[in-house]
Amino acid sequence: MSKSSTVTVREKPVQDVASATAGGLIIHGETFVVQTDQRVEVIDLTNRVMEFARRFNIREGLISLWSMHTTCALFINEFQSALIDDLKGLIERLVPERGGYRHDDPRFSDCERGNAHAHLRAALLGRNIAVGLVNGELSLGRFQSVIFAELDGPRKREITVQILGA
Amino acid sequence: MSKSSTVTVREKPVQDVASATAGGLIIHGETFVVQTDQRVEVIDLTNRVMEFARRFNIREGLISLWSMHTTCALFINEFQSALIDDLKGLIERLVPERGGYRHDDPRFSDCERGNAHAHLRAALLGRNIAVGLVNGELSLGRFQSVIFAELDGPRKREITVQILGA
Amino acid sequence: MSKSSTVTVREKPVQDVASATAGGLIIHGETFVVQTDQRVEVIDLTNRVMEFARRFNIREGLISLWSMHTTCALFINEFQSALIDDLKGLIERLVPERGGYRHDDPRFSDCERGNAHAHLRAALLGRNIAVGLVNGELSLGRFQSVIFAELDGPRKREITVQILGA
């Protein structure tokens, strides 16, 4: 392998919104844009996902969210200030910002951001979540929030969101 | 952010069972209840998922399971006593029960359970799994089991399970 | 629990290819075989997933990949040589190959491969990914690749891949 990354190239430009129907089933995708202000920032997307779901008259189905980036994460947990601090502390302890990473070393990598820690933290936290729609409600418990974590900001980030159901 | 959690509120009460069909596609959701007896407890749900799948005449599709809680986990791995002990050892080493967490400190948090470690362990292990149905069989290898991990028990836990297919 | 694993038994033999349609919706599953050559090996599956997707005239939908094994992983990240080295370094640091695991000890386990570390690393990295199809394109950002990690090779590995959409 070279110093460079393999790049995934789309054949067509991304469209903002795309839908299909099949025998009463609706599949609809679009992009959430998130502008982050901090280097590490944790954002609650639950209301945005709920509003998205309500626009469709879907009772049973699936909502998927995919981060389009390799240095941020999507996951479900409790959104509480102190717990978010603990989560930041955990990932800093497991994956320190300066860890002598080869991805941050110009001898081995053409990446100039010094963000190996952000890639590795994203690998532990995950970049994709799915939430069910059951009887018209999201499969989220009372203390569950849909959480986006910026790990190498500030940046403009894109999340693909898709609803599939009937 | 305050000391309190953001709470996700359903508009409608949860129903036990909900189904839709669309052009031959079936989407059906319901709740698995799991009563745990231990503080940390690992339970094999494979047979229960298989029995659930067999009730529908679905050959191709998707089964999703979502934990409705933030202090337990769902994942796929080998269900063997010694390996489960190793997994408990790993999460205790990576995320100690007493780690000076702010979520456990009344100055920063209104949570009285002292369960920050359980939230953080759940974040590493995951709370959602999907299993495919291909030719009427679950996409599980010979040594793969569907595993539920209680991380802050004993408690009564709910898992939303959904089958989608034709 | 005994020293042995619980084994998940299929009722029917696996078929190579299986499809269903429902009101214009297509659900199609098959198996990717990956032959690994190294003990730990990281392979970019992005082109293979893209070629699979192009065989179907599906604009909106979902592609799922499931590892059928408990000692390898599937995830999305940047595929760059130096970063892959950093990822190998991270999992070796968090889950050392020799960690005094009970799964590797004949007093507690009938497993003769000494591969507890590979199971535990797979639990942290994940064994299932989903990629969206939106307007005929995979929901992958420019630096995102679909990555398979062999953690206990060399072996012949199977990945179940399913496309669902219209």
Side-chain angles (χ1 to χ4, degrees):
Chain A
M1 280 188 275
S2 77
K3 284 186 183 187
S4 304
S5 302
T6 302
V7 172
T8 298
V9 182
R10 293 166 167 279
E11 292 187 329
K12 288 171 268 183
V14 184
Q15 290 196 348
D16 282 350
V17 174
S19 288
T21 56
L25 186 81
I26 294 168
I27 310 175
H28 175 96
E30 60 188 64
T31 301
F32 283 2
V33 175
V34 177
Q35 176 66 55
T36 60
D37 300 317
Q38 311 289 324
R39 185 134 170 74
V40 176
E41 186 174 347
V42 178
I43 295 169
D44 186 348
L45 295 180
T46 314
N47 287 339
R48 203 160 164 182
V49 174
M50 284 186 157
E51 283 163 20
F52 172 75
R54 283 184 194 126
R55 286 170 32 210
F56 305 86
N57 193 22
I58 288 177
R59 276 186 40 242
E60 307 302 319
L62 198 63
I63 297 177
S64 303
L65 287 94
W66 295 282
S67 153
M68 299 296 280
H69 310 277
T70 50
T71 54
C72 43
L74 279 166
F75 56 94
I76 307 268
N77 213 310
E78 185 171 337
F79 194 76
Q80 188 234 22
S81 173
L83 186 65
I84 298 302
D85 289 340
D86 293 330
L87 186 71
K88 290 178 183 171
L90 174 69
I91 59 177
E92 175 62 34
R93 185 165 56 77
L94 296 184
V95 188
E97 184 163 348
R98 295 286 157 243
Y101 305 113
R102 290 167 72 97
H103 181 67
D104 299 343
D105 183 334
R107 289 175 298 169
F108 307 113
S109 168
D110 63 357
C111 174
E112 295 174 350
R113 291 189 67 92
N115 64 358
H117 67 286
H119 286 280
L120 299 174
R121 292 171 182 184
L124 293 183
L125 293 174
R127 51 74 77 176
N128 163 219
I129 55 174
V131 180
L133 268 167
V134 179
N135 195 33
E137 293 282 347
L138 299 183
S139 66
L140 289 176
R142 192 168 162 235
F143 291 107
Q144 288 186 315
S145 291
V146 176
I147 297 175
F148 172 81
E150 169 64 80
L151 302 170
D152 185 35
R155 297 228 216 163
K156 190 177 145 197
R157 298 297 202 170
E158 294 191 349
I159 298 164
T160 300
V161 56
Q162 183 189 72
I163 190 166
L164 182 160
Chain B
M1 279 190 275
S2 77
K3 283 186 183 186
S4 303
S5 303
T6 302
V7 172
T8 299
V9 181
R10 294 166 167 278
E11 292 187 331
K12 287 172 269 184
V14 185
Q15 290 194 347
D16 282 349
V17 174
S19 289
T21 56
L25 186 80
I26 295 168
I27 310 175
H28 175 95
E30 58 187 67
T31 301
F32 283 3
V33 175
V34 176
Q35 176 66 55
T36 61
D37 300 318
Q38 311 289 325
R39 186 136 171 73
V40 176
E41 186 173 346
V42 178
I43 295 169
D44 187 347
L45 294 181
T46 314
N47 286 340
R48 203 159 162 182
V49 174
M50 284 187 156
E51 283 162 21
F52 172 74
R54 283 185 194 126
R55 284 170 33 209
F56 305 87
N57 192 22
I58 289 177
R59 276 186 39 242
E60 307 302 320
L62 199 62
I63 296 177
S64 303
L65 286 95
W66 296 281
S67 152
M68 299 296 279
H69 310 277
T70 51
T71 53
C72 44
L74 279 167
F75 56 93
I76 307 269
N77 214 310
E78 185 171 337
F79 194 76
Q80 187 234 23
S81 173
L83 186 64
I84 299 302
D85 288 341
D86 293 331
L87 186 70
K88 290 177 183 172
L90 174 69
I91 58 176
E92 175 63 33
R93 185 165 56 77
L94 296 183
V95 188
E97 184 163 349
R98 296 287 156 244
Y101 305 112
R102 289 167 72 98
H103 182 67
D104 299 342
D105 182 334
R107 289 175 298 167
F108 308 112
S109 168
D110 63 356
C111 174
E112 295 175 349
R113 291 189 66 93
N115 64 359
H117 67 286
H119 286 280
L120 299 175
R121 292 171 181 184
L124 292 184
L125 293 175
R127 51 74 78 177
N128 162 219
I129 55 174
V131 181
L133 268 167
V134 179
N135 194 33
E137 292 282 346
L138 299 183
S139 67
L140 288 176
R142 193 170 161 234
F143 290 108
Q144 288 186 314
S145 291
V146 176
I147 298 175
F148 172 81
E150 169 65 79
L151 302 170
D152 185 35
R155 297 226 217 164
K156 191 178 144 195
R157 299 296 202 170
E158 293 190 349
I159 298 164
T160 300
V161 55
Q162 183 189 70
I163 190 167
L164 181 159
Chain C
M1 280 189 275
S2 78
K3 284 185 181 187
S4 305
S5 303
T6 303
V7 172
T8 298
V9 181
R10 294 166 167 279
E11 292 187 330
K12 287 171 269 184
V14 184
Q15 291 195 346
D16 281 350
V17 174
S19 289
T21 56
L25 186 81
I26 294 168
I27 310 175
H28 175 96
E30 59 188 65
T31 301
F32 282 3
V33 175
V34 178
Q35 176 66 54
T36 60
D37 300 318
Q38 310 289 325
R39 185 135 171 74
V40 176
E41 186 174 348
V42 178
I43 295 169
D44 187 347
L45 295 180
T46 314
N47 286 340
R48 202 160 164 182
V49 174
M50 284 186 157
E51 283 164 19
F52 173 75
R54 284 185 194 124
R55 285 169 32 210
F56 305 87
N57 193 22
I58 289 178
R59 275 186 41 241
E60 307 301 319
L62 198 64
I63 296 178
S64 303
L65 287 95
W66 296 281
S67 153
M68 299 296 280
H69 310 277
T70 50
T71 53
C72 43
L74 279 167
F75 55 94
I76 308 267
N77 214 310
E78 185 171 338
F79 194 76
Q80 188 233 20
S81 172
L83 186 64
I84 298 302
D85 289 341
D86 292 331
L87 186 72
K88 290 178 183 171
L90 175 69
I91 58 175
E92 174 63 32
R93 184 164 57 76
L94 295 183
V95 188
E97 185 163 348
R98 296 285 157 246
Y101 305 112
R102 290 168 71 98
H103 182 67
D104 299 342
D105 183 334
R107 288 175 298 166
F108 307 112
S109 169
D110 62 357
C111 174
E112 295 174 350
R113 290 189 67 92
N115 64 358
H117 67 285
H119 286 279
L120 299 174
R121 292 171 181 184
L124 292 184
L125 293 175
R127 51 75 76 176
N128 162 219
I129 54 173
V131 180
L133 268 168
V134 179
N135 195 33
E137 293 282 348
L138 298 184
S139 67
L140 288 176
R142 193 169 162 234
F143 291 108
Q144 288 187 314
S145 291
V146 176
I147 297 174
F148 172 81
E150 169 65 78
L151 302 170
D152 185 35
R155 296 228 216 163
K156 190 177 145 196
R157 299 297 202 169
E158 294 191 348
I159 298 164
T160 300
V161 56
Q162 184 189 71
I163 190 166
L164 181 160

